[in-house]
Amino acid sequence: MARKTSRNTRYAALNAGDNAETRRLIEASNRLADEVARIFPSEPDIADRHYWLETMINHVPDYIYAKDTKGRFLIANEVTVADNGLESLQDLVGKTDFDLHPTKFAQAFADVEQRVIETGEPIFGIEERAMVTKGRDRWLMTSKVPLRNKGGTSAGSPGISRDITDRKAAERLLEGQARLLEMIAKSEPLDQFFTDLILLIELLLPGVKGSILLLSEDGRHLVHGAAPSLDEVFCATIDGVEIGPAVGSCGTAAWRGEQVIVSDVYSDSLWAGYADLVKPHGFRSCWSTPIHSHESKVLGTFALYSQEVGVPSEQQKELIAMATHLAGIAIERKRAEDRISFMAHHDALTGLPNRVLFEAQVAGVLEAIRGRDQWAVLAFLDLDNFKLINDSLGHTAGDDLLKAVADRMRAAVRKSDMVVRVGGDEFILLLNGLPTERDIVLSRLEDIRAAIAAPVQLNGRSLQVTCSMGVACFPNQGRTVSELLANADAAMYRAKELGRNNLQVFTEEMAAKAHEKLLRHEELREAIARNEFLLHFQPQMNLVTGRVFAAEALLRWQHPVHGVMSPGAFIPLAEETGLIVPIGDWVLKAACRQCKAWQEAGLPPLIVSANVSARQFLERNWAARVAAVLAETGLEARYLELELTESLIMQDVPGAIATMHELEAIGVHLAIDDFGTGYSSLSALKRFPVQRLKIDRSFVEDIPSDVDDKAITSAIISLAQNLGLRVIAEGVETEAQVDFLRQSGCDEIQGYFFSPPLVARDFEALLRQSGLHAEGV
């Protein structure tokens, strides 16, 4: 009963065991107990000690053996005999490891044993490789001790070895996974990652060879990814194979999006047309698994080939699943990096290279032809009147036009050339290695301009867009990238000045103008820092009362060399460079401060009028900035009038109206300047919260001799009256003009007829001396 209870306990322990090693030891213990019970059923205490020892070591699953000083086996347990492919102990005794294992393994065993024998020191827990378990490559953990006879002389070395192949495989798997994940994190080349992944699987699954194929961009073909152990001829044969419902293992797996296991390629119908491809290489089975993205899209296939007929074990399936998962991560990571890199170096709308990529590559292009009898031609081009198309047809149509133009330019140049979108409707062309003949260069560029100008169908309309192009050639018209860009840009602006829709080649005259422009830009910037600006004020008079009610603030530049300069000499440059914003802010603040100073000097309150540039008006929170200036200067908002041009307002009508309402809420007066010269619509005009229209001087100067100008002026006055607006005419110089305007119902005038623009001191003196005090507000 005690023996039966003991066995039940051992079986319970066996069932509860979590690892193979525990189960083997328990099973060996049970076999040993059964053997002892059979030989000594009633008296185990008098068992034969020699038989007991032999029986015990034969039930131990580890390899237990002893060798003499020459490495010949003296004794071993049964598992050692069997796993070395022998029938009995007699077949093993007298043999050495050189008789059983490859030389490199046997020599390693011999070296360790010789060291133990010579030093007399045991060695514990070393790792060795051996061809055991019927010739399979295994890993063993071995301990060996010296054996001495009764006289103390070395007689050999007993040893015990435990099979740790599964543990080593797990360690290799973990190390391999860590290395592969590190490769993904470091963005190692994808083909190298695939190679290392396949070699890891082949190491863990001896006898199989791996392959990775990638799905092509069109989703119809499989292309070579990696197959380090497969024949190159075979890889080349299957490279580009079209996927389908019966295209071997890989083509079918990619088609179905699921794993395809073929145990025998010779007999499986999926391989009916492809079996001959693998016969020369001896493959009999092929297991292919699709590589999926995180969105379950097929990215490629991972396949294992074996020369044996069969299907993968559960362990092999787990490794395959791990491999395909890592491959999917690597592919998606690489594609994401490629997308990010492309977006960083290309225009998102057209797909053309952007300025970043151009600047990274252009220096190398120029260096490659330096010293050769060739030109590199750099052209700046800008689409003519693109904004009008964008505003009238909408941004979607504008984007479609830009894409069409980009495609046409790309088709009109060679692969060695570059087409770059700088931004908006501006592009750069770099034509590389052209003959040094002006006519050939111009012919090529005119062909490109003609391609751009071909009709485009947008929203059911046939449109035609032209371009202005500026050209500079390397090395004649620029020896560095910056020189070429600057010179081509100058030539393009010259093309615009000449009426657009033309091509201009850079000249020295343009260089001089560009240099002059640069100097003026720097002078203008310094003028802001040195406070070289001043204001003149021109009175505005009420035609009914004859009194001054307002003054327009007009900007002047007190140039240290050229003296006082009018706005026309520098405002266009200020607008182009963006300096108009700080200059405009200065004008606004100076005008408000002067108006407040006149009030404090005892003059009746009058309105000060200041012009607003488009760049100022489009600044964020501009109404709040106006309010801040009024608060800083102490001027009440009702004494400030801002003059806005039609073209400024029409750039963004909804946005302009919103800003005007914000200004109206502050209490500022608004007027439309140069009315009649822009393109505002009457439907928009009635929504503008303005108080006055200003008739442009171009309509006034030929009155009363020009019948058309008289008609236009009368119409503007009538329109203003019907809309409940006051109207003022500027540029009034003669009595005849005043009489016509008064008869037509014009409310106010401004011009040399009454007074030219004056400095603040003279303006104040004029009012005091003439008695034309302001009529009050």
Side-chain angles (χ1 to χ4, degrees):
M1 177 63 73
R3 184 174 297 161
K4 184 174 181 181
T5 302
S6 175
R7 169 168 292 195
N8 289 341
T9 302
R10 288 195 300 270
Y11 276 124
L14 174 61
N15 294 330
D18 287 334
N19 57 66
E21 190 62 35
T22 301
R23 290 194 296 271
R24 286 198 299 271
L25 289 172
I26 293 174
E27 289 171 353
S29 175
N30 287 338
R31 290 196 300 271
L32 179 62
D34 291 341
E35 188 68 14
V36 171
R38 182 182 66 80
I39 300 173
F40 307 108
S42 58
E43 296 181 312
D45 55 319
I46 59 172
D48 178 84
R49 294 181 181 179
H50 178 272
Y51 192 83
W52 178 282
L53 179 60
E54 181 180 358
T55 301
M56 181 177 64
I57 67 172
N58 282 334
H59 281 79
V60 174
D62 297 333
Y63 305 129
I64 301 176
Y65 49 85
K67 302 176 185 177
D68 63 17
T69 56
K70 297 186 179 297
R72 293 172 296 198
F73 280 92
L74 300 174
I75 191 171
N77 62 350
E78 290 180 351
V79 69
T80 304
V81 174
D83 283 1
N84 277 287
L86 303 175
E87 297 292 332
S88 65
L89 179 60
Q90 286 73 20
D91 297 329
L92 180 63
V93 172
K95 285 185 169 59
T96 68
D97 288 313
F98 290 95
D99 300 318
L100 304 172
H101 307 288
T103 302
K104 63 177 181 178
F105 296 165
Q107 189 61 55
F109 297 154
D111 292 343
V112 172
E113 291 162 2
Q114 193 62 35
R115 187 163 68 251
V116 170
I117 292 171
E118 290 176 355
T119 63
E121 297 292 333
I123 293 178
F124 299 105
I126 62 171
E127 294 182 355
E128 299 177 322
R129 290 179 66 186
M131 296 296 289
V132 294
T133 314
K134 299 180 181 179
R136 292 177 58 195
D137 185 1
R138 311 293 287 174
W139 278 94
L140 306 176
M141 178 171 285
T142 299
S143 296
K144 297 183 180 182
V145 298
L147 178 64
R148 300 183 182 278
N149 56 26
K150 293 180 179 180
T153 304
S154 295
S157 62
I160 181 168
S161 300
R162 173 167 295 175
D163 189 334
I164 59 169
T165 304
D166 291 343
R167 193 190 79 186
K168 289 291 290 185
E171 290 175 357
R172 284 180 175 175
L173 178 59
L174 290 174
E175 292 172 358
Q177 287 176 319
R179 186 178 70 255
L180 291 169
L181 290 172
E182 184 179 2
M183 292 179 72
I184 294 175
K186 291 183 176 180
S187 300
E188 297 284 349
L190 204 55
D191 56 349
Q192 184 60 54
F193 173 84
F194 288 157
T195 296
D196 285 15
L197 175 61
I198 292 171
L199 291 176
L200 173 64
I201 299 302
E202 290 177 348
L203 179 65
L204 297 173
L205 302 178
V208 301
K209 295 182 179 181
S211 167
I212 288 179
L213 297 173
L214 297 175
L215 194 63
S216 61
E217 291 186 6
D218 62 9
R220 297 174 54 191
H221 301 84
L222 290 174
V223 296
H224 178 72
S229 303
L230 292 178
D231 185 81
E232 292 183 359
V233 175
F234 174 72
C235 293
T237 302
I238 63 175
D239 186 21
V241 65
E242 186 170 1
I243 68 174
V247 185
S249 299
C250 294
T252 307
W255 175 270
R256 295 179 182 174
E258 60 185 33
Q259 190 177 55
V260 173
I261 303 298
V262 174
S263 60
D264 189 351
V265 298
Y266 291 0
S267 60
D268 197 292
S269 60
L270 296 180
W271 281 80
Y274 306 95
D276 290 339
L277 297 178
V278 296
K279 284 182 179 180
H281 308 284
F283 298 134
R284 292 300 302 272
S285 60
C286 180
W287 318 322
S288 183
T289 305
I291 301 170
H292 285 116
S293 70
H294 72 283
E295 297 175 337
S296 298
K297 294 181 179 179
V298 175
L299 304 173
T301 59
F302 176 80
L304 292 179
Y305 295 86
S306 174
Q307 294 185 340
E308 298 180 0
V309 174
V311 298
S313 65
E314 290 304 315
Q315 177 196 20
Q316 290 171 327
K317 288 181 179 179
E318 290 178 2
L319 288 175
I320 291 171
M322 179 275 295
T324 55
H325 180 63
L326 289 180
I329 294 174
I331 294 170
E332 288 201 281
R333 171 68 181 266
K334 181 63 168 60
R335 291 185 178 179
E337 289 176 348
D338 290 345
R339 283 195 298 272
I340 293 171
S341 177
F342 184 87
M343 292 171 63
H345 296 92
H346 291 79
D347 173 53
L349 177 65
T350 64
L352 292 175
N354 60 16
R355 186 71 174 262
V356 175
L357 183 58
F358 171 77
E359 292 180 350
Q361 295 183 355
V362 64
V365 172
L366 299 183
E367 190 62 33
I369 67 168
R370 192 181 297 276
R372 299 183 184 179
D373 188 23
Q374 291 180 327
W375 281 345
V377 178
L378 190 147
F380 249 123
L381 68 91
D382 184 284
L383 301 184
D384 299 329
N385 301 315
F386 173 75
K387 188 177 185 306
L388 181 59
I389 295 174
N390 215 30
D391 290 345
S392 58
L393 298 182
H395 292 289
T396 300
D399 289 347
D400 290 342
L401 176 61
L402 290 173
K403 288 188 283 188
V405 169
D407 290 340
R408 289 176 176 184
M409 286 191 288
R410 199 159 22 205
V413 301
R414 304 162 299 172
K415 289 185 177 180
S416 59
D417 300 329
M418 288 187 73
V419 182
V420 180
R421 186 185 179 203
V422 180
D425 59 340
E426 292 185 336
F427 298 85
I428 294 176
L429 292 174
L430 181 64
L431 308 183
N432 182 33
L434 291 183
T436 56
E437 296 183 29
R438 180 183 175 91
D439 291 343
I440 293 178
V441 171
L442 292 180
S443 177
R444 289 287 304 278
L445 294 173
E446 288 295 351
D447 288 343
I448 294 172
R449 291 186 63 246
I452 293 172
V456 181
Q457 295 295 322
L458 291 177
N459 295 340
R461 299 183 182 182
S462 179
L463 298 178
Q464 203 167 7
V465 62
T466 59
C467 70
S468 301
M469 183 181 290
V471 180
C473 298
F474 171 86
N476 296 30
Q477 294 156 346
R479 303 189 66 84
T480 65
V481 177
S482 58
E483 286 180 1
L484 284 171
L485 288 171
N487 293 343
D489 190 42
M492 183 187 72
Y493 276 99
R494 179 57 179 162
K496 289 183 175 182
E497 290 174 357
L498 294 176
R500 304 177 184 271
N501 189 23
N502 69 94
L503 180 155
Q504 292 294 312
V505 179
F506 177 78
T507 64
E508 291 303 321
E509 181 183 355
M510 294 178 189
K513 288 185 177 180
H515 182 66
E516 180 184 355
K517 184 177 179 180
L518 179 62
L519 290 178
R520 290 181 61 200
H521 180 199
E522 291 304 315
E523 286 182 340
L524 195 56
R525 189 182 299 279
E526 291 176 359
I528 298 173
R530 296 173 181 173
N531 198 26
E532 293 177 353
F533 297 107
L534 70 154
L535 291 180
H536 285 184
F537 297 89
Q538 188 169 37
Q540 295 178 342
M541 187 180 74
N542 187 305
L543 278 177
V544 176
T545 65
R547 291 184 176 274
V548 175
F549 69 94
E552 180 178 6
L554 299 171
L555 180 65
R556 300 292 185 264
W557 179 6
Q558 185 66 54
H559 195 282
V561 176
H562 304 296
V564 178
M565 299 175 63
S566 64
F570 60 89
I571 288 298
L573 179 62
E575 290 179 338
E576 181 183 329
T577 59
L579 293 176
I580 192 64
V581 174
I583 292 174
D585 289 346
W586 181 89
V587 169
L588 179 64
K589 188 176 296 185
C592 291
R593 185 180 294 116
Q594 183 60 63
C595 188
K596 182 64 175 177
W598 282 330
Q599 292 177 6
E600 292 176 346
L603 286 177
L606 75 158
I607 294 172
V608 65
S609 179
N611 291 281
V612 179
S613 73
R615 292 288 293 270
Q616 274 182 288
F617 194 72
L618 296 175
E619 288 284 304
R620 294 184 61 186
N621 301 322
W622 193 68
R625 291 168 65 174
V626 172
V629 169
L630 291 170
E632 179 183 344
T633 59
L635 183 68
E636 294 181 46
R638 62 194 179 112
Y639 297 120
L640 174 64
E641 179 180 75
L642 299 176
E643 295 187 8
L644 315 173
T645 63
E646 289 179 276
S647 56
L648 179 157
I649 297 171
M650 296 306 294
Q651 288 184 23
D652 177 14
V653 173
I657 292 176
T659 302
M660 284 192 285
H661 279 302
E662 291 177 2
L663 293 168
E664 182 186 37
I666 295 172
V668 172
H669 297 281
L670 299 174
I672 296 182
D673 191 16
D674 301 336
F675 187 78
T677 61
Y679 55 93
S680 62
S681 67
L682 297 181
S683 63
L685 179 61
K686 69 180 183 180
R687 293 187 290 150
F688 298 157
V690 299
Q691 287 76 41
R692 288 203 296 174
L693 296 184
K694 179 176 272 192
I695 302 174
D696 186 67
R697 65 178 63 248
S698 63
F699 299 123
V700 175
E701 61 185 358
D702 291 330
I703 291 174
S705 59
D706 191 297
V707 177
D708 292 335
D709 284 345
K710 289 172 61 178
I712 293 172
T713 302
S714 296
I716 294 175
I717 295 172
S718 176
L719 173 66
Q721 291 172 342
N722 289 330
L723 291 175
L725 305 177
R726 297 183 66 81
V727 61
I728 181 171
E730 64 177 346
V732 179
E733 299 181 358
T734 68
E735 185 75 37
Q737 292 170 343
V738 173
D739 291 341
F740 173 80
L741 292 169
R742 183 180 287 114
Q743 294 169 8
S744 299
C746 182
D747 301 298
E748 299 138 1
I749 64 169
Q750 170 185 343
Y752 277 70
F753 172 77
F754 177 70
S755 172
L758 303 170
V759 296
R761 181 182 62 256
D762 294 343
F763 182 91
E764 180 179 345
L766 172 68
L767 295 183
R768 292 186 185 278
Q769 293 170 6
S770 64
L772 295 172
H773 297 302
E775 62 183 17
V777 179

